[in-house]
Amino acid sequence: MQTDSSFTFVLFGGTGDLSMRKILPALFEAHRAGGMLADSGKIVAVARHAANRDEYLQWVNEHVKPHVSKKGVDEAAWASFLTRIEFVKIDLGNPEDFTHLRDAIQDLPGIRVFYLATGPSLFVPICHALASVGLNENARIVLEKPLGYDLKSSNAINDAVGKIFAEEQIYRIDHYLGKEPVQNLLALRFGNALFEPLWRREWVESIQITIAEELGVEARGDFYDNTGALRDMVQNHLLQLLSIVAMEPPHSMDSDSVRDEKLRVLRALKPIDPNEIGKVAVRGQYHAGGIRGTPVPAYATEPGVKPDSTTETFVALKVEIENWRWAGVPFFLRTGKRLADRVAEIVVNFRAVPHSALGASALRAGANRLVIRLQPNETIRLYCLAKQPGEGMNLASVHLDLAFDQFFREGQMEAYQRLLLDVINGRLALFVRRDEQEAAWRWVEPILNDWKASNKPPKPYASGTWGPAAASAMLAQHGTCWLEEEN
């Protein structure tokens, strides 16, 4: 992914957690790789918590280095990376301060990228301030999630930003779309004749998509208690992964062809019947328990969380897609905090053979499945049955692995690294278009409204488990179970 594209990358929230853990480490990896970033490219950090460039670089040395990849920090590469970084002290609440930013970057070459690693309440004021000093032209703007609290607030932000930046200038980021296995899912489906004939209702029994975290809300209690798992993870990450799994083959891999097909999936989601929400949606909240032997507190006792909070930290959903390819196939989505393991994966369960001359083992559910692991280890594994060595025709489950770190000599690219390079080079395919976002909010809202109106408390689950028992019961009604329950 070589580039000669000159750029000025302006990072709002330059001292924030996201900048330290993800954005600057990703830019450093691109810099260290050589040739991915134009030599003339500059990074301009914007914050008010540092006095000057020297103080900011000291902050970067302390807070970014621990998050650089396992390869560690090559000090020569690190020193040259720091020469790219400039710093502008700005109070984002004072639009007049943006003249300092304009003066600092007006003579820098190339496309301008404004990355808003801030709270969503600042998106519109920052955009207005950029426009007031003429910085909205020859520019791209990156918006982090969450983009709004519901459909109305999301539209309000998009309307306001859309008056200042054209749609093709707006990059709504979802880092799961930049993960290597998600890219390889597209390659497997659309680059091989093997899977496409099977990728449909006739041969797929069910699909599971899980994003599980061992961590709790950490220091984000104030934010999370007003958000919850449905807004934080389902409306964006899980529905985006669903649309990638279920989309039709695009005409090409250009940005609008891919996003058009994702949009068709989101619009084909079966609307949630308010009378059926209790059967297809499970919400839970973690209580005190243990993670790998370490005691952890209940959600309601976390800092910043209301003691009587009814905010969900776990969601499991049964989703259906009303089109010819997927009609009748259940998609089970699940996400939660303080679960038994940190894992993100897509599980495609194929149907059993219609008749087996080899015994009942060939007819069992899950004999053939594809498991796409997004984290912590990025792999794709295809399960099938084979004869066990020895006398008789005894079958056992075996698997074929695509372990990227073993097969490809070059290192994998982290999701943020890929997506930031796409922004700099003007590639929109892996970013969320406004109509996709609206379709996702529109589908999620009946669940949000029902939970708000009923005011029923979420189902409790002990930290260190896989969530409320009701999530397993929901799958049992369809004759299946979560992958870890099989094992």
Side-chain angles (χ1 to χ4, degrees), residues 9 36 75 116 156 187 192 212 217 239 248 264 278 309 343 363 377 394 442 454 483:
F9 188 96
M36 288 188 175
E75 291 299 335
L116 275 55
N192 300 284
V217 295
L239 288 185
E248 294 296 321
R264 288 189 177 96
S309 174
V343 62
L363 297 172
N377 302 312
N394 299 312
R442 193 169 289 111
S454 68
L483 181 60

Short mmCIF file of all heavy atoms in Angstrom, two decimals, residues 9 36 75 116 156 187 192 212 217 239 248 264 278 309 343 363 377 394 442 454 483:
data_model
loop_
_atom_site.label_atom_id
_atom_site.label_comp_id
_atom_site.label_asym_id
_atom_site.label_seq_id
_atom_site.Cartn_x
_atom_site.Cartn_y
_atom_site.Cartn_z
N PHE A 9 -2.41 15.64 8.63
CA PHE A 9 -3.35 14.88 9.46
C PHE A 9 -3.54 15.63 10.77
O PHE A 9 -2.64 15.67 11.61
CB PHE A 9 -2.79 13.48 9.72
CG PHE A 9 -3.73 12.53 10.39
CD1 PHE A 9 -4.48 11.64 9.64
CD2 PHE A 9 -3.88 12.52 11.76
CE1 PHE A 9 -5.36 10.75 10.26
CE2 PHE A 9 -4.76 11.64 12.39
CZ PHE A 9 -5.50 10.76 11.63
N MET A 36 4.59 3.93 3.14
CA MET A 36 3.13 4.02 3.29
C MET A 36 2.68 5.45 3.50
O MET A 36 1.54 5.80 3.16
CB MET A 36 2.67 3.15 4.45
CG MET A 36 2.74 1.66 4.17
SD MET A 36 1.98 0.69 5.49
CE MET A 36 2.09 -0.95 4.78
N GLU A 75 14.09 2.84 17.91
CA GLU A 75 14.29 4.21 18.37
C GLU A 75 14.60 5.17 17.22
O GLU A 75 14.19 6.33 17.25
CB GLU A 75 15.41 4.27 19.41
CG GLU A 75 15.03 3.61 20.74
CD GLU A 75 13.83 4.27 21.41
OE1 GLU A 75 13.57 5.45 21.15
OE2 GLU A 75 13.14 3.58 22.18
N LEU A 116 -11.66 13.53 14.26
CA LEU A 116 -12.35 14.01 15.46
C LEU A 116 -12.40 12.89 16.50
O LEU A 116 -13.40 12.18 16.62
CB LEU A 116 -13.75 14.52 15.11
CG LEU A 116 -13.86 15.98 14.65
CD1 LEU A 116 -12.95 16.26 13.46
CD2 LEU A 116 -15.29 16.34 14.31
N ALA A 156 -29.41 14.79 13.11
CA ALA A 156 -29.06 16.19 13.41
C ALA A 156 -27.57 16.42 13.19
O ALA A 156 -27.16 17.45 12.60
CB ALA A 156 -29.47 16.53 14.84
N ALA A 187 -12.59 -11.67 0.39
CA ALA A 187 -11.75 -12.40 -0.57
C ALA A 187 -12.22 -13.85 -0.72
O ALA A 187 -12.29 -14.38 -1.85
CB ALA A 187 -10.29 -12.35 -0.11
N ASN A 192 -13.35 -16.80 -4.79
CA ASN A 192 -13.30 -18.25 -4.93
C ASN A 192 -14.67 -18.80 -5.32
O ASN A 192 -15.69 -18.29 -4.86
CB ASN A 192 -12.87 -18.90 -3.61
CG ASN A 192 -11.49 -18.44 -3.16
OD1 ASN A 192 -10.48 -18.87 -3.69
ND2 ASN A 192 -11.45 -17.55 -2.17
N ALA A 212 -17.29 -10.16 22.38
CA ALA A 212 -17.30 -10.31 23.84
C ALA A 212 -16.06 -9.66 24.44
O ALA A 212 -14.96 -9.74 23.87
CB ALA A 212 -17.34 -11.78 24.21
N VAL A 217 -16.71 -1.38 32.31
CA VAL A 217 -16.79 -0.04 31.72
C VAL A 217 -15.54 0.78 32.02
O VAL A 217 -15.36 1.87 31.46
CB VAL A 217 -18.05 0.71 32.20
CG1 VAL A 217 -19.29 0.01 31.71
CG2 VAL A 217 -18.07 0.86 33.72
N LEU A 239 -24.00 -4.74 13.39
CA LEU A 239 -24.80 -4.65 12.16
C LEU A 239 -23.92 -4.45 10.94
O LEU A 239 -24.26 -4.90 9.83
CB LEU A 239 -25.83 -3.53 12.27
CG LEU A 239 -27.01 -3.82 13.22
CD1 LEU A 239 -28.03 -2.68 13.15
CD2 LEU A 239 -27.68 -5.15 12.91
N GLU A 248 -24.77 -9.18 -1.04
CA GLU A 248 -24.64 -9.77 -2.36
C GLU A 248 -23.28 -9.39 -2.96
O GLU A 248 -22.68 -8.39 -2.55
CB GLU A 248 -25.76 -9.29 -3.27
CG GLU A 248 -27.15 -9.75 -2.86
CD GLU A 248 -27.30 -11.26 -2.95
OE1 GLU A 248 -26.78 -11.86 -3.91
OE2 GLU A 248 -27.93 -11.84 -2.04
N ARG A 264 -28.42 -2.64 1.19
CA ARG A 264 -29.54 -3.52 0.85
C ARG A 264 -29.80 -4.53 1.96
O ARG A 264 -30.94 -4.89 2.25
CB ARG A 264 -29.26 -4.23 -0.48
CG ARG A 264 -29.34 -3.30 -1.69
CD ARG A 264 -29.27 -4.09 -3.00
NE ARG A 264 -29.41 -3.18 -4.13
CZ ARG A 264 -28.40 -2.67 -4.82
NH1 ARG A 264 -27.15 -2.99 -4.49
NH2 ARG A 264 -28.60 -1.85 -5.83
N GLY A 278 -39.42 -9.46 23.48
CA GLY A 278 -38.99 -10.33 24.56
C GLY A 278 -38.50 -11.69 24.09
O GLY A 278 -37.74 -12.36 24.79
N SER A 309 -29.15 1.86 38.08
CA SER A 309 -29.10 1.89 36.62
C SER A 309 -29.76 0.67 35.99
O SER A 309 -29.60 -0.47 36.46
CB SER A 309 -27.64 1.96 36.15
OG SER A 309 -27.56 1.85 34.74
N VAL A 343 -13.30 -12.11 22.87
CA VAL A 343 -13.34 -12.76 21.57
C VAL A 343 -14.30 -12.02 20.66
O VAL A 343 -15.35 -11.51 21.10
CB VAL A 343 -13.76 -14.25 21.70
CG1 VAL A 343 -15.17 -14.36 22.29
CG2 VAL A 343 -13.69 -14.97 20.38
N LEU A 363 -24.54 -36.36 10.68
CA LEU A 363 -25.78 -35.59 10.66
C LEU A 363 -25.86 -34.56 11.78
O LEU A 363 -26.83 -33.82 11.88
CB LEU A 363 -26.98 -36.54 10.78
CG LEU A 363 -27.17 -37.54 9.63
CD1 LEU A 363 -28.27 -38.52 9.97
CD2 LEU A 363 -27.47 -36.80 8.34
N ASN A 377 -6.84 -13.62 18.24
CA ASN A 377 -6.00 -14.13 17.16
C ASN A 377 -6.81 -14.14 15.88
O ASN A 377 -7.88 -14.73 15.83
CB ASN A 377 -5.51 -15.55 17.49
CG ASN A 377 -4.73 -15.60 18.79
OD1 ASN A 377 -3.84 -14.79 19.01
ND2 ASN A 377 -5.08 -16.54 19.66
N ASN A 394 -15.13 -44.43 11.58
CA ASN A 394 -15.46 -43.49 12.64
C ASN A 394 -15.02 -42.10 12.23
O ASN A 394 -13.87 -41.89 11.83
CB ASN A 394 -14.75 -43.90 13.94
CG ASN A 394 -15.18 -45.27 14.42
OD1 ASN A 394 -16.38 -45.57 14.46
ND2 ASN A 394 -14.21 -46.12 14.75
N ARG A 442 -32.70 2.98 12.36
CA ARG A 442 -34.14 2.76 12.18
C ARG A 442 -34.53 1.36 12.64
O ARG A 442 -35.59 1.15 13.22
CB ARG A 442 -34.51 2.99 10.71
CG ARG A 442 -36.00 3.11 10.46
CD ARG A 442 -36.28 3.60 9.04
NE ARG A 442 -35.92 5.00 8.86
CZ ARG A 442 -34.91 5.42 8.11
NH1 ARG A 442 -34.16 4.56 7.46
NH2 ARG A 442 -34.65 6.71 8.00
N SER A 454 -40.75 0.08 28.97
CA SER A 454 -41.05 -0.95 29.96
C SER A 454 -40.32 -0.71 31.27
O SER A 454 -40.80 -1.07 32.34
CB SER A 454 -40.65 -2.32 29.40
OG SER A 454 -39.24 -2.42 29.27
N LEU A 483 -21.32 -21.19 20.22
CA LEU A 483 -20.18 -22.05 19.89
C LEU A 483 -19.47 -22.59 21.12
O LEU A 483 -19.16 -23.78 21.20
CB LEU A 483 -19.18 -21.27 19.01
CG LEU A 483 -17.94 -22.05 18.56
CD1 LEU A 483 -18.33 -23.26 17.73
CD2 LEU A 483 -17.00 -21.13 17.77
#
